[in-house]
Amino acid sequence: MDRVALSGLKARGHHGVFPKEREEGQTFIVDLVLGLDTRPAAADDDLAKTVHYGIVAEEVVAVVEGEPVNLIETLAERIAQACLKHEGVQEVEVRVHKPDAPITVPFDDVTVTITRSRV
């Protein structure tokens, strides 16, 4: 399986369990690895035979900016399902970063990574 990766997609969302997170929002960063067969697209040099990663990026940002959820695990699942709606995508790895998580000790990042596939 081939891979198409998108790294560092940024969007502001209002996800979290605390009222301040829901009210003020924060930046979330998403990394994706889409698993698909790119050979048909490469053979014909045809965008229609692969995944349009620009459209995927816009859809992922819309999910992050959309309906709030409590957990980034839930957000990651919603993103994965949006990616799998694209016909050629057989598998997706989603990593959601929450660099401004409300943690009381110094830290660099909090992430959740999930892998989903068509089964």
Side-chain angles (χ1 to χ4, degrees):
M1 191 170 311
D2 303 319
R3 298 180 187 171
V4 174
L6 291 92
S7 301
L9 295 171
K10 294 181 185 175
R12 189 159 186 84
H14 294 265
H15 312 289
V17 296
F18 298 113
K20 184 177 179 181
E21 293 179 291
R22 292 294 184 108
E23 293 166 11
E24 296 179 11
Q26 59 192 293
T27 299
F28 293 84
I29 303 165
V30 178
D31 302 324
L32 302 173
V33 179
L34 307 169
L36 65 151
D37 184 357
T38 64
R39 288 176 292 192
D44 295 336
D45 198 26
D46 186 353
L47 177 60
K49 294 183 179 180
T50 188
V51 64
H52 190 311
Y53 51 79
I55 291 173
V56 171
E58 291 171 359
E59 292 172 354
V60 168
V61 166
V63 171
V64 175
E65 292 176 343
E67 181 184 348
V69 296
N70 289 329
L71 304 176
I72 58 174
E73 292 86 344
T74 306
L75 182 59
E77 184 67 33
R78 288 184 177 180
I79 291 167
Q81 294 309 313
C83 293
L84 289 171
K85 287 182 181 178
H86 291 267
E87 185 178 330
V89 177
Q90 299 299 308
E91 181 177 273
V92 61
E93 179 182 281
V94 177
R95 176 172 289 126
V96 176
H97 301 257
K98 189 175 180 181
D100 298 321
I103 297 175
T104 60
V105 297
F107 74 103
D108 289 329
D109 199 5
V110 173
T111 67
V112 168
T113 304
I114 66 171
T115 303
R116 299 292 183 265
S117 61
R118 296 179 187 270
V119 178

